[in-house]
Structures are given as C-alpha cells and as structure tokens.
C-alpha cells in the first residue's frame, strides 16, 4: 500500500529531492512549504503526478493531515537566510517541531527531524561523533539556528519519552547539489556562480577552515534508510561525507573544474564560523548500512552543469526573482 508522507520544507533544496525520490518509490507525497527560501520551481515537475500535493503553509501554525510518515525539514539553512529574521528562524525550529510532533502524536505517524552538524557549534572534538555535546554560543549570530535545532532535538526526545511518539533524528552535514538557490549564500553555490561568471571567488577569512561536503543524493538515501530503521533506533545519527577539505581547497577545485579565470579574494570571516567540521559516520554505517557514494569532484561536476543555466541571458533574472519573492513573503515571515 502507498504510504502517505508529509515533507515540511519540501519545496526547498533538500526537500524537493526527497519528494521526488519518495514519489519514485510509489508513495503519496504532501509537500508543505511557506516558500521563504524554497520555490514552486523546485517541484513544478512533480505537479502532474496525482500522488503529489503542494500545500502553502507555515509550520509555526498547527496543521492537520492524516499521514503515515513526516519528514520535518522546514527551516532556512543558509546563514544569510536564517539570520535575516532570527526570531522567525527559532520559531520555525521550535514551534514547527511542536506542531509536527503534535501531529505525529495524533495520527500515530513516524517523524524524522532534519537536524544539523551546527548542534556541535565550533567543535572541540574532531571528527564529531553523536555523543559529543558540542560547543555552541547561545548569544551569537548563528544561535537562532543552532539553538533552535538543539531545542527541536530535545522536543523529539521528550515527545518520545512522554508520549511514545515514533521519532528519528539525523544530523546533516554540509550538503550541496542541483536545486540549491543560486543566491543561497552557501559556499558551494557562491563559488560555482562566481567561477562560471569569472568573478572573484570570495573566501572568508584565510580559507583554512574545513568542511566535509555531501552530495544531496547521498543525503536523501540516508534519510530514507533512517526512516525505515527499527522503532527502537531513534538516533541522533550523523549523515555526512567524512572527506574533509579546507575552503581554500574547495575554491581551487571549483576554479579547476570550471576552467575559470576567477581570482581568489579574501573577505572578513563571519563571527562564530566553525573552524572545522567532519562527521564521524560509524553509527550510520552500523545502523543504516549507509555511507556516501558520490565524492566531491563527481558531485561538483553535476552541480556546475545545473548552475550553468543561470548564466544564460534568458535565465539571469534569478536575482530579481529571489528579491521579489522574498518581498512578497515578508509579511508571512514576520516574527
Ligand atoms: P532550504 O532553505 O533550501 O529549504 C528549507 C525549506 O523550508 C524551504 O523550502 C523554505 O521555504 C521552507 N521553510 C522555511 N521556513 C518555513 C516555515 N516556517 N514553514 C514552512 N516552510 C518553511 O534548505 P535545505 O538545504 O533544503 O535544508 C533543509 C533542511 O535540512 C533544513 O531543516 C536544514 O536545517 C537541514 N540541513 C541542511 C543542511 C544542508 O547543508 N543543506 C545541513 C544541515 C541541516
Ligand atoms: N564561505 C566562504 N565564502 C562564501 C561563503 C561561505 O568562504 O562565499 C565559508 C564560510 O565562512 C564557512 C564555509 O564557507 O566557513 C561554509 O559556509 P556555508 O555558509 O556554506 O555553511 P556553514 O557550514 O558555515 O553553515
């Protein structure tokens, strides 16, 4: 029988890939989104499928629907977007979690939380295992996101402990791929857009900070595997690619793959920018029989191909588009 699956944040970068994959597997998919950073363009190709429904809704308000599973992804993920309205960001994580956990409780659905490596903050343990409690500043520019996601994890733990809700938590490490917004502000989309237009590549700080980049298809596989684990396994579990690069190495790799004439320029490092990040994926290997299959060069090539469309003259209105949709959703995004 078809499972009925709700994906909050389903019109975003990761959510749209997840909706597509869940439909391919024969499920009925309800994609719920307020279109703050996501877009109908990401899911328009799914609209003709009778088992797909797009719902405009904000997760800070309760929502009722009969489903078997919920993937809770609604939350802006790029620092420029989650810092745009920090009060709204923390409300999205905390009230969104309460509303979706309440729904899961009422309809007896399994629910998976898209948590983040940011719960480790600027880590003092490297690589980061799930047992590490993190080093997070509660009073900084990233706090609205980091602390919101940490509180959401606590809510998942407590709804299970108190109400026996069937919860799952994954901690996602930096993920990239097609359908990232070209103006998203995250490092992979910034560098590729800059490189293919031969503009300066903006490395923040000295570029010595590290990240471990996972291609989106590997993440989606990990999410689906986590959802289908035994009820007793609730995580949290790290989902990321453990191959670590400095940001400078990433810039050089993207220049090489795009044959770009771009120069690297150095800009100020944002506050609380973690110095290093790399997942320990021992638990995911053991419990999900999962590890990433797509390494950086292969994933970057696919992503570069996707971004090339935005440099063609007929499509280069993406900046205007992104500004106007943000204006049109500003009232909805008010705290
Ligand atoms: P994204 O910004 O592309 O997608 C987030 C989606 O949530 C968007 O479609 C947005 O419109 C929607 N949304 C935001 N606030 C909402 C609200 N109040 N109500 C309803 N919808 C709302 O980001 P993404 O990269 O696809 O991230 C998806 C999830 O994965 C997020 O929860 C994020 O924290 C988590 N995550 C992503 C990464 C990554 O590297 N991509 C890393 C760690 C965690
Ligand atoms: N970064 C950069 N140039 C950019 C965008 C980001 O050097 O144009 C750096 C950023 O300072 C951070 C890393 O790249 O150290 C990853 O940034 P991103 O915003 O993608 O994600 P984060 O892991 O910081 O949430």
């Amino acid at each position: 029988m078809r499972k009925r699956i709700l994906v909050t944040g389903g019109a975003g970068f990761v959510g749209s890939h997840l909706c597509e994959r869940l439909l391919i597997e024969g499920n009925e998919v309800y994609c719920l989104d307020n279109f703050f950073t996501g877009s109908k363009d990401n899911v328009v190709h799914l609209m003709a499928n009778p088992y797909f429904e797009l719902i405009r809704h904000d997760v800070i308000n309760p929502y009722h629907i009969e489903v078997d599973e919920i993937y809770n992804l609604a939350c802006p993920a790029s620092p420029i977007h989650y810092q745009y309205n920090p009060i709204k960001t923390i409300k999205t994580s905390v009230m969104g979690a309460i509303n979706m956990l309440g729904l899961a409780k009422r309809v007896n659905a399994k629910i998976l939380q898209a948590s983040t490596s940011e719960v480790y903050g600027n880590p003092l343990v490297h690589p980061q295992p799930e047992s590490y409690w993190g080093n997070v500043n509660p009073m900084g520019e990233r706090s609205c996101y980091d602390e919101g996601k940490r509180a959401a994890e606590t809510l998942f733990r407590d709804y299970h402990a108190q109400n026996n809700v069937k919860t799952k938590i994954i901690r996602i490490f930096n993920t990239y791929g097609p359908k990232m917004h070209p103006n998203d502000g995250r490092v992979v989309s910034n560098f590729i857009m800059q490189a293919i237009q031969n503009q300066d590549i903006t490395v923040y700080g000295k570029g010595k900070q590290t990240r471990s980049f996972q291609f989106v298809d590997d993440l989606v596989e990990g999410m689906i595997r986590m959802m289908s684990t035994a009820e007793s396994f609730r995580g949290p579990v790290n989902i990321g690619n453990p191959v670590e690069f400095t940001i400078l190495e990433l810039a050089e790799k993207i220049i090489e793959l795009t044959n770009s004439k771009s120069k690297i320029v150095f800009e100020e490092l944002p506050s609380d920018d973690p110095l290093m990040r790399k997942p320990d994926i021992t638990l995911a290997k053991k419990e999900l029989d999962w590890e990433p299959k797509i390494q950086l060069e292969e994933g970057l090539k696919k992503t570069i191909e996707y971004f090339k469309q935005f440099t063609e003259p007929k499509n280069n209105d993406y900046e205007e588009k992104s500004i106007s949709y943000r204006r049109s959703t500003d009232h909805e995004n008010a705290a």
Side-chain angles (χ1 to χ4, degrees), residues 9 20 22 29 85 109 126 166 238-239 249 258 310 316-317 328 332:
E20 193 172 316
L22 292 170
V29 175
N85 185 343
H126 196 70
K166 293 175 267 183
N238 290 337
I239 302 288
E249 284 169 341
T258 51
F310 298 109
N316 68 1
D317 62 340
S328 73
E332 290 168 18

Side-chain angles (χ1 to χ4, degrees), residues 79 82 118 142 174 185-188 190-191 194 202-204 209 211 247 269-270 273-274 277:
Y82 68 65
E118 286 283 326
R142 287 183 173 245
N174 295 64
R186 281 179 277 190
V187 69
V188 174
N190 272 10
F191 285 3
Q194 290 162 345
T202 54
V203 168
Y204 301 159
Q209 69 273 36
R211 294 291 187 274
I247 294 304
L269 188 68
D273 199 285
R277 183 180 291 156

Side-chain angles (χ1 to χ4, degrees), residues 27-255:
N27 301 294
E28 186 159 344
V29 175
Y30 303 95
C31 168
L32 181 153
D33 207 292
N34 73 348
F35 305 117
F36 173 45
T37 50
S39 156
K40 283 184 190 167
D41 291 341
N42 286 337
V43 290
V44 71
H45 63 297
L46 307 176
M47 305 282 244
N49 187 324
Y51 296 104
F52 180 77
E53 267 181 52
L54 181 60
I55 304 155
R56 186 183 189 111
H57 183 78
D58 193 308
V59 291
I60 70 166
N61 300 311
Y63 187 75
H64 188 80
I65 188 170
E66 288 288 333
V67 284
D68 305 299
E69 293 179 355
I70 303 168
Y71 288 86
N72 188 36
L73 276 64
C75 184
S78 163
I80 55 164
H81 289 140
Y82 68 65
Q83 289 167 20
Y84 172 78
N85 185 343
I87 298 171
K88 180 63 193 271
T89 298
I90 200 160
K91 280 172 94 171
T92 295
S93 276
V94 174
M95 294 167 72
I98 291 171
N99 287 327
M100 291 305 128
L101 284 160
L103 173 63
K105 180 184 158 194
R106 280 195 298 280
V107 301
N108 195 26
K110 266 196 278 186
I111 180 165
L112 179 144
Q113 168 68 357
S115 191
T116 167
S117 53
E118 286 283 326
V119 300
Y120 302 121
N122 192 6
L124 305 175
V125 170
H126 196 70
Q128 294 82 53
E130 292 82 355
S131 54
Y132 178 49
W133 291 356
N135 176 37
V136 176
N137 176 4
M139 296 294 286
E141 286 172 4
R142 287 183 173 245
S143 311
C144 60
Y145 182 74
D146 299 11
E147 298 290 17
K149 289 284 188 178
R150 285 168 67 96
E153 286 200 7
T154 308
L155 284 160
F156 269 65
R157 183 219 169 264
D158 291 342
Y159 267 77
H160 172 74
Q162 202 170 321
N163 293 319
N164 213 20
V165 174
K166 293 175 267 183
T167 57
K168 310 265 175 199
I169 299 172
I170 58 165
R171 291 180 177 157
I172 304 171
F173 283 65
N174 295 64
T175 304
Y176 69 96
K179 295 198 191 149
M180 289 183 97
H181 195 282
N183 263 352
D184 179 273
R186 281 179 277 190
V187 69
V188 174
S189 44
N190 272 10
F191 285 3
I192 293 178
M193 286 303 291
Q194 290 162 345
I196 59 184
Q197 297 175 98
N198 294 311
Q199 294 168 352
D200 289 347
I201 307 263
T202 54
V203 168
Y204 301 159
K206 294 198 167 76
K208 295 271 161 56
Q209 69 273 36
T210 69
R211 294 291 187 274
S212 309
F213 297 100
Q214 149 174 260
F215 190 65
V216 63
D217 292 359
D218 283 328
L219 168 60
V220 168
E221 179 65 32
M223 295 177 108
I224 289 174
R225 286 190 188 214
M226 179 59 174
M227 189 61 110
S228 62
T229 50
E231 209 177 306
S232 57
F233 184 66
R234 297 182 296 279
V237 59
N238 290 337
I239 302 288
N241 189 321
V243 185
E244 186 181 13
F245 293 88
T246 67
I247 294 304
L248 202 52
E249 284 169 341
L250 177 74
E252 283 159 357
K253 176 58 77 189
I254 289 176
I255 291 175

